[in-house]
Amino acid sequence: MDSIVVTGGGELQGEIPIAGAKNACLTLMPATLLSEEPLTLTNAPRLSDIKTMTMLLESLGAEATAMQGGQVLAMSSHDLTSSHADYDIVRKMRASNLVLGPLLARMGHAEVSLPGGCAIGARPMDLHIHGLEALGAEIELRDGYLHAKAPRGLKGAEIKLSFASVGATENILMAATLAKGTTVIRNAAREPEIVDLATCLRAMGAQIEGDGTPEIVVQGVDRLHGATHQVVTDRIELGTYMLAPAIAGGEVECLGGKIELVSAFCEKLEAAGIHVEETARGLKVARKNGRVRAVDVTTEPFPGFPTDLQAQMMAMLCTAEGTSVLHETIFENRFMHAPELTRMGADIEVHGGTATVHGVDKLKGAPVMATDLRASISLILAGMAAEGETVVSRVYHLDRGYEQVVRKLSSIGAKIERIKE
């Protein structure tokens, strides 16, 4: 397995282009299943998860071609041959379940594997099921697969989500575009990725109002047509690279960034003493005056602080002045990076969904192991501010969510290299 070696020391200077959003692109790709006409996505990120979704779509009979170095995806579902999303593909990526709603709406039936290791109640797959059942689907769990059918077609309904689940909102939204009548999704997720999906679906002919608010209204149409759509900027990659100068010092401009994508995150950076400025080209982030200040963080659905930036934020707070408390409210077991940061000299106590971080003067390089995607990048960021050399192993997680990490960080002065094994 590859490793990444980071040598700490030295402030960062320069600019980093921010890619299209992984989570948006993985949602937009299944939208091609809703139409016989082509859907083209521009500003697509070049990630292994995108390749996995491409494999899944192709297994259903769709065509998907990557162009311009992978930043343009040309897709067509004019001749679907299957409605069976196989476990061998779905197990690699939770977003694979987003083919369920489009397949039901287009073909009237679908067999989609549960994501690997996932009981329905563990994370809110049950919300996807209840929402689609409200639209008229009949869904049965059998042999690890969701067997779904809509023998009388999908019909509009009023659906109230018990939790503002992004995935459930996306699945229901896509299915509702071809349902007969009006669908109202209450307590809908408000993330920019939801707005991006709705924007794309409208370009395909869907009638949608209220995206970006807790109530989305969809008037079903008979068919959707093709479109070309630009994927929104990745707010998680944006926040991650904003933390690079916040942790290591210096000034970096993140090209394509907008404060509206990361406003709650920016508030915490400002409270910690990091300067954030919106420019004509993106967001400029600077830390020039000593240690950052401790801040408390609670992860929340958008527009709150993103759970996907919690690990990276913890890396910064390890050397903050004072004590910070982080509450993780979205996912359980999401402090697995804490023991690895402790190996680097961090002072962290974890109790359930709460981590208390007592700031130390300096981290020290050490061999550490990445446990998941966001933990991977948090350890790399920590290594950039640590004394000596940090070796991060199991970095295959990185390729799922960050394109060209070494090149991007090297371009602003980080001492980083990837070791092939």
Side-chain angles (χ1 to χ4, degrees), residues 192 233-240 242 257-269 276 283 302-306 309:
T233 296
D234 193 320
R235 62 194 173 96
I236 305 304
E237 182 177 274
L238 171 61
T240 297
M242 289 172 70
K258 296 179 180 178
I259 283 181
E260 65 192 48
L261 294 173
V262 285
S263 57
F265 171 72
C266 287
E267 289 174 7
K268 293 298 180 181
L269 286 188
V276 180
L283 294 180
F302 190 85
F305 192 99
L309 287 174

Side-chain angles (χ1 to χ4, degrees), residues 87 91 94 113-120 122-123:
Y87 171 73
R91 68 181 174 83
R94 186 169 180 80
S113 170
L114 287 175
C118 174
I120 286 182
R123 283 199 274 175

Side-chain angles (χ1 to χ4, degrees), residues 93-328:
M93 183 181 64
R94 186 169 180 80
S96 299
N97 60 36
L98 292 174
V99 301
L100 179 59
L103 285 174
L104 260 177
R106 169 88 177 275
M107 302 183 73
H109 55 89
E111 303 81 42
V112 178
S113 170
L114 287 175
C118 174
I120 286 182
R123 283 199 274 175
M125 193 65 199
D126 57 330
L127 300 182
H128 301 238
I129 295 169
H130 294 159
L132 294 172
E133 285 179 335
L135 294 176
E138 298 173 4
I139 302 177
E140 179 185 2
L141 173 61
R142 192 168 69 249
D143 302 324
Y145 282 79
L146 295 173
H147 295 259
K149 59 183 179 179
R152 291 171 292 279
L154 298 179
K155 296 182 180 179
E158 292 201 7
I159 301 165
K160 183 172 182 179
L161 298 175
S162 58
F163 173 77
S165 163
V166 174
T169 301
E170 292 165 340
N171 240 332
I172 297 165
L173 175 59
M174 285 190 278
T177 61
L178 295 179
K180 295 187 183 298
T182 302
T183 298
V184 180
I185 307 172
R186 303 190 196 282
N187 196 29
R190 300 162 58 187
E191 273 73 359
E193 294 81 10
I194 300 287
V195 176
D196 201 41
L197 173 61
T199 301
C200 178
L201 292 171
R202 276 193 291 267
M204 297 171 69
Q207 297 184 18
I208 302 169
E209 296 179 352
D211 45 293
T213 78
E215 183 172 299
I216 300 176
V217 180
V218 186
Q219 182 65 46
V221 297
D222 292 335
R223 62 182 297 273
L224 296 179
H225 52 71
T228 297
H229 175 79
Q230 179 175 316
V231 180
V232 69
T233 296
D234 193 320
R235 62 194 173 96
I236 305 304
E237 182 177 274
L238 171 61
T240 297
Y241 289 128
M242 289 172 70
L243 277 167
I247 289 173
E251 182 175 284
V252 173
E253 188 169 14
C254 296
L255 306 182
K258 296 179 180 178
I259 283 181
E260 65 192 48
L261 294 173
V262 285
S263 57
F265 171 72
C266 287
E267 289 174 7
K268 293 298 180 181
L269 286 188
E270 295 276 8
I274 306 302
H275 178 68
V276 180
E277 175 188 354
E278 197 155 27
T279 69
R281 304 174 70 213
L283 294 180
K284 187 174 290 185
V285 184
R287 191 200 104 197
K288 296 183 177 179
N289 298 316
R291 293 172 66 182
V292 300
R293 297 188 291 269
V295 293
D296 295 340
V297 172
T298 299
T299 62
E300 296 175 318
F302 190 85
F305 192 99
T307 180
D308 281 346
L309 287 174
Q310 176 259 110
Q312 302 91 304
M313 191 71 172
M314 182 184 286
M316 183 189 80
L317 295 175
C318 285
T319 55
E321 195 167 9
T323 297
S324 306
V325 179
L326 293 89
H327 298 284
E328 175 55 60

Side-chain angles (χ1 to χ4, degrees), residues 39-52:
L39 174 63
T40 300
L41 301 178
T42 63
N43 195 37
R46 293 162 287 189
L47 304 168
S48 60
D49 272 8
I50 303 302
K51 294 179 180 177
T52 300

